């Protein structure tokens, strides 16, 4: 029997990379504890472009969780970028 499709997690957050902090809207398809997943960000075109070039970033959600992400795609001139949640390092 196929698994039921989960609704994406959506909301507002702050995207942080280097010394930049930018408000964004997000949508995440992943497990409910957000340990893994993929999603999209919508925000300022220039900041999303810079985040894509940087790669590693953090997404601070309204509920206080901070997700380590990698911005994996952004089309020139688009107000949307795509990311994957990075797995936490285990030592």
């Amino acid at each position: 029997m196929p698994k039921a499709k989960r609704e994406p997690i959506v909301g507002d957050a702050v995207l942080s990379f280097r010394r930049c902090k930018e408000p964004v809207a997000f949508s995440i398809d992943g497990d409910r504890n957000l340990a893994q997943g993929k999603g999209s960000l919508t925000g300022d075109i220039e900041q999303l472009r810079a985040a894509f070039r940087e790669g590693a970033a953090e997404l601070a959600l309204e509920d206080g969780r901070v997700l380590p992400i990698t911005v994996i795609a952004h089309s020139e001139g688009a107000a949307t970028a795509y990311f994957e949640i990075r797995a936490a390092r285990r030592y």
Side-chain angles (χ1 to χ4, degrees):
M1 185 170 184
K3 290 183 180 181
K5 181 160 173 73
R6 294 182 186 163
E7 290 296 316
I9 300 165
V10 297
D12 295 316
V14 175
L15 175 66
S16 301
F17 60 98
R18 286 183 281 170
R19 287 175 248 167
C20 299
K21 292 187 184 273
E22 182 69 25
V24 293
F26 71 90
S27 175
I28 300 173
D29 292 321
D31 60 15
R32 291 291 141 198
N33 64 7
L34 298 177
Q36 61 183 352
K38 295 181 178 185
S40 62
L41 304 168
T42 304
D44 180 77
I45 294 169
E46 292 303 316
Q47 292 299 321
L48 293 176
R49 181 171 163 220
F52 172 63
R53 288 183 174 161
E54 183 71 18
E58 289 184 335
L59 192 62
L61 308 183
E62 291 179 319
D63 65 7
R65 289 183 284 183
V66 178
L67 306 177
I69 65 169
T70 300
V71 181
I72 58 171
H74 177 256
S75 296
E76 191 68 31
T80 302
Y82 300 91
F83 67 91
E84 292 180 341
I85 299 172
R86 293 192 318 259
R89 291 184 182 174
R90 295 180 186 228
Y91 297 97

